[in-house]
Amino acid sequence: MAVEVYLSQEKIKTRVKEVAEQINKDFSGKELHIIGVLNGAFMFTADLVRHLDVPVTLEFMSASSYGDGTTSSGKLTINLDIKKDIKDKHVLVIEDIVDTGLTLSVLKKNLLERSPASLKLASFLYKPARLEHPVDIDYLCFEIEDHFVIGYGLDYAGRYRELPYVGIYCED
Ligand code: IMP
């Protein structure tokens, strides 16, 4: 297998810092509860929070979604839930990639039922070519073409999450 570098470590570093600066501006004077979505968002979450200067609390959540293929509704199975009561809190959900958009749209609906003061979504990557379930991404690092990508938290069959860059997976 070969990996073609798609987003370099340097490019990622610069962009993550820019996005964090935007979050600092938008949440100035407020406290933020961050929910990183496992497993893919662990690296983006860890890098992003290092640049935040607003007070944060942080938890991880793990969920799988199953669509019925025809509507934008889907069933969400929560494998690991947050412990914090987010009622009246400002919440930022951090995802690795919005592909069909199903996971984030169903997760958003679930979290909104818990009555947060506000709920914003951050995604490291977004693949518009594959979108089926529109979801507003408030903070996005990169829009990408329709490639299966790995690295920087993203896996192929559980592997390659540790790569510090994003690569295109090519079987040879
Ligand atoms: P969704 O289709 O937007 O619900 O995306 C579901 C999940 O699929 C994402 O959170 C990723 O974990 C995974 N995924 C989608 N596209 C890719 C990719 O190109 N590489 C690795 N994982 C992906």
Side-chain angles (χ1 to χ4, degrees):
M1 99 100 192
V3 181
E4 182 193 322
V5 178
Y6 187 65
L7 297 170
S8 70
Q9 208 172 338
E10 223 25 64
K11 202 169 171 178
I12 293 171
K13 207 172 149 189
T14 306
R15 184 65 190 134
V16 170
K17 192 160 181 279
E18 283 171 3
V19 169
E21 280 162 6
Q22 188 60 52
I23 295 170
N24 284 332
K25 268 195 206 139
D26 294 354
F27 287 92
S28 170
K30 293 178 182 155
E31 285 182 24
L32 193 52
H33 188 62
I34 289 179
I35 303 175
V37 183
L38 293 174
N39 292 321
F42 79 95
M43 203 176 280
F44 176 40
T45 305
D47 282 350
L48 188 78
V49 296
R50 269 179 261 213
H51 297 292
L52 295 183
D53 55 24
V54 292
V56 300
T57 47
L58 170 72
E59 282 181 282
F60 284 98
M61 192 168 173
S62 167
S64 332
S65 53
Y66 306 92
D68 63 11
T70 55
T71 70
S72 61
S73 63
K75 190 173 146 28
L76 188 75
T77 302
I78 296 178
N79 310 309
L80 172 73
D81 204 351
I82 51 167
K83 292 202 171 70
K84 193 177 177 81
D85 177 3
I86 57 169
K87 187 172 178 338
D88 301 329
K89 306 288 179 203
H90 296 289
V91 173
L92 176 67
V93 176
I94 303 186
E95 186 48 301
D96 55 353
I97 185 166
V98 174
D99 186 44
T100 66
L102 181 64
T103 308
L104 212 44
S105 57
V106 183
L107 187 59
K108 183 179 176 181
K109 192 167 166 274
N110 178 289
L111 292 171
L112 280 175
E113 283 164 8
R114 308 183 198 194
S115 308
S118 68
L119 181 71
K120 300 284 183 196
L121 305 177
S123 185
F124 176 58
L125 301 177
Y126 167 47
K127 260 192 234 178
R130 302 243 321 148
L131 191 71
E132 290 172 28
H133 308 274
V135 57
D136 287 334
I137 306 169
D138 301 286
Y139 303 100
L140 174 67
C141 285
F142 301 100
E143 188 171 303
I144 63 165
E145 290 149 344
D146 189 8
H147 297 296
F148 191 84
V149 289
I150 52 166
Y152 201 70
L154 293 144
D155 74 311
Y156 171 69
R159 291 211 45 212
Y160 312 109
R161 292 190 196 274
E162 75 283 10
L163 298 178
Y165 56 88
V166 172
I168 298 177
Y169 182 82
C170 338
E171 251 168 312
D172 54 8

